[in-house]
Amino acid sequence: MHRGIVFLIVSIILLGIDLYAYQGLKVAIGPLPLVGQRIIKSIFWGLTIVTIIGFSLFEPMSHHPIGRKLLTIMATIGVANILGKLLFALWLVIDDLIRVARYIWAKLNPQPHGLGEEPISRSEFLTQAGTVTAAVPLLAMGWGVVSGAHDYRVENRVIKLPNLPRTFDGLTITQISDIHCGSFWSKSAVKRGIELVNEQKSDAIFFTGDLVNNEATELNGWTEIFSTLKADLGVFSVLGNHDYGDYVPWNSAEDKRRNLRALMDTQRQMGWDLLIDENRKITVDGESISVVGVQNWGGRGRFPKYGDLNKALIGADDTEVKLLLSHDPSHWKGEVLPKYDNVDVMFSGHTHGMQFGIEVGQIKWSPVKYFYPEWADLYEENGRFLYVNRGFGYIGYPGRLGILPEITVITLKSA
């Protein structure tokens, strides 16, 4: 369907919801002073205008770095606006159903002398409750930006491996993933997060992909911070689906290739050991393990399968333990488990935990679980493990609600 027709249909639907919600809003704010009513009405329609402008300018704005940042803000406001007004509309539907029922009852039970013929007005309680409910998405998403975006949490896990060489008993690995550099809005907060990574003093650091949103230039001004990541055994990294520049138009195929080369070169200049379908043998006191890294391999949707695990494992046969860095967790069940029983632990990211969900004690839920069964934390199957990092950064919505940015510390122990 033509983009203009889609825009027109969506705009009509949004305006219809707004007009319906506006009828209830007038009742809810009726007791307020006139000035207060005008302010609330201006906010109500202002949110509508921002939503429609953001939707209509999505295509041209998405092609420019500044435009993409502005679009992120407008999209956040737009989503909160739509969710809020839909919630408000639900309250109004309940109110209207009650009014219809009362109207039918009045017709079936007519009162003498014309009593009960007055129009059945909206319930002030329901409309005011709807108004309060409608404000929740906007306030919650705002809180997720201000508080959740950089509220880094350190998650500690122990993985026991029966074949772990004695020398590596107690090996610590700090994993981060999905930095999405082009989305950041607070350099000081990000710097604190990277300092927290170094404070873990792990033997190795794994980065499991999506350093940028689309373009290598997003790293301008950030390399000094990311270059400070240090570990005795090295900082190892792989590419994620966003690192290839697949989601933006390029003037030519060569421009796209040049962008990827620049991204790869920058990682190496920062001191990171970028693994492109290859492995590194780590030897301590004559005993060795292998760190294996593949390019993105997506088992769901349209995500590309660039990774070649056969190639990545060449030369690693003589090591007892193989630790795989692969960005997309769907790779685990899609290829690793059924075909490569010599891979002991896989480290992934990609899902971000959808940047939205609930984690309270043992309760863990996010809508992303319906797309990715392995979406956050540690999974085990027949003595083989997958850890899915919740992500260091964010994309789209510039914040997090419930699912906070993560720094993972994995300790390997002999079983």
Side-chain angles (χ1 to χ4, degrees):
M1 187 179 295
H2 191 274
R3 188 179 299 273
I5 296 175
V6 173
F7 170 68
L8 181 61
I9 292 173
V10 172
S11 296
I12 291 172
I13 293 173
L14 292 179
L15 285 172
I17 294 172
D18 277 15
L19 288 170
Y20 181 61
Y22 184 66
Q23 304 310 310
L25 179 71
K26 290 189 294 184
V27 174
I29 65 175
L32 296 178
L34 186 59
V35 173
Q37 293 184 37
R38 288 175 176 172
I39 292 174
I40 293 175
K41 289 177 181 179
S42 297
I43 293 173
F44 182 95
W45 290 112
L47 291 172
T48 300
I49 292 170
V50 170
T51 302
I52 292 178
I53 290 176
F55 184 72
S56 63
L57 298 180
F58 179 85
E59 183 67 23
M61 290 175 70
S62 64
H63 295 170
H64 304 282
I66 296 177
R68 285 195 291 270
K69 288 187 179 295
L70 182 60
L71 188 61
T72 295
I73 297 171
M74 296 178 75
T76 300
I77 294 172
V79 170
N81 170 55
I82 293 170
L83 288 176
K85 289 174 179 176
L86 281 173
L87 289 173
F88 192 14
L90 288 176
W91 283 93
L92 296 182
V93 168
I94 294 171
D95 186 37
D96 282 339
L97 290 175
I98 293 173
R99 292 170 68 201
V100 169
R102 289 171 61 195
Y103 175 79
I104 294 173
W105 178 260
K107 287 298 183 182
L108 294 175
N109 298 274
Q111 300 296 316
H113 309 299
L115 295 176
E117 296 296 326
E118 297 86 354
I120 300 173
S121 62
R122 285 192 178 277
S123 163
E124 285 192 15
F125 168 76
L126 289 176
T127 54
Q128 289 172 359
T131 304
V132 173
T133 304
V136 170
L138 192 61
L139 295 174
M141 294 184 77
W143 177 253
V145 173
V146 174
S147 176
H150 303 110
D151 188 8
Y152 303 105
R153 299 299 174 93
V154 178
E155 299 286 345
N156 290 276
R157 299 291 182 271
V158 175
I159 295 178
K160 295 182 178 181
L161 301 174
N163 54 334
L164 185 69
R166 176 189 54 80
T167 306
F168 293 96
D169 188 18
L171 177 77
T172 54
I173 299 162
T174 292
Q175 181 196 4
I176 57 174
S177 191
D178 299 86
I179 286 177
H180 288 284
C181 193
S183 297
F184 287 143
W185 50 266
S186 174
K187 183 166 286 189
S188 60
V190 174
K191 184 179 179 182
R192 289 196 302 272
I194 294 299
E195 289 171 350
L196 185 57
V197 174
N198 282 327
E199 286 172 12
Q200 307 312 306
K201 300 186 183 302
S202 291
D203 299 305
I205 294 175
F206 290 174
F207 172 68
T208 45
D210 277 3
L211 181 57
V212 298
N213 292 341
N214 296 293
E215 301 177 23
T217 54
E218 295 170 24
L219 282 166
N220 293 345
W222 292 97
T223 56
E224 183 178 353
I225 292 176
F226 298 135
S227 296
T228 63
L229 286 174
K230 302 294 179 186
D232 290 343
L233 298 180
V235 179
F236 302 92
S237 65
V238 291
L239 298 174
N241 56 295
H242 278 267
D243 294 322
Y244 297 92
D246 288 343
Y247 307 127
V248 292
W250 298 95
N251 292 327
S252 67
E254 179 55 34
D255 282 348
K256 184 180 178 182
R257 287 192 291 269
R258 189 181 298 114
N259 174 75
L260 181 57
R261 286 196 298 269
L263 178 68
M264 295 164 65
D265 289 344
T266 300
Q267 290 197 41
R268 290 164 178 146
Q269 290 164 11
M270 293 191 306
W272 297 11
D273 190 353
L274 177 62
L275 303 176
I276 305 293
D277 297 333
E278 53 190 322
N279 66 80
R280 298 286 184 267
K281 186 181 295 184
I282 298 177
T283 302
V284 178
D285 295 338
E287 295 183 310
S288 301
I289 63 173
S290 289
V291 178
V292 183
V294 296
Q295 298 187 71
N296 191 79
W297 196 102
R300 300 183 68 85
R302 58 187 178 86
F303 296 110
K305 291 179 172 64
Y306 292 130
D308 186 340
L309 190 47
N310 272 330
K311 179 181 176 183
L313 287 166
I314 293 175
D317 292 338
D318 59 343
T319 54
E320 287 294 325
V321 168
K322 298 170 184 62
L323 308 176
L324 172 63
L325 281 67
S326 181
H327 176 69
D328 192 320
S330 63
H331 190 195
W332 195 51
K333 285 186 175 177
E335 184 181 51
V336 177
L337 283 182
K339 297 180 181 179
Y340 297 92
D341 58 5
N342 56 346
V343 173
D344 300 276
V345 187
M346 176 170 146
F347 297 81
S348 295
H350 183 60
T351 71
H352 301 208
M354 205 172 178
Q355 298 168 215
F356 170 77
I358 299 169
E359 288 200 78
V360 180
Q362 298 301 311
I363 300 174
K364 183 180 70 173
W365 177 87
S366 169
V368 76
K369 68 175 294 183
Y370 304 113
F371 300 94
Y372 288 90
E374 295 78 35
W375 62 275
D377 222 292
L378 185 63
Y379 301 86
E380 184 269 338
E381 190 165 316
N382 298 324
R384 303 166 67 194
F385 297 87
L386 165 69
Y387 194 88
V388 185
N389 182 278
R390 295 162 179 82
F392 185 88
Y394 39 82
I395 189 171
Y397 168 53
R400 286 174 174 262
L401 276 172
I403 305 295
L404 299 173
E406 177 182 356
I407 296 165
T408 313
V409 178
I410 300 289
T411 301
L412 299 184
K413 300 290 290 183
S414 297

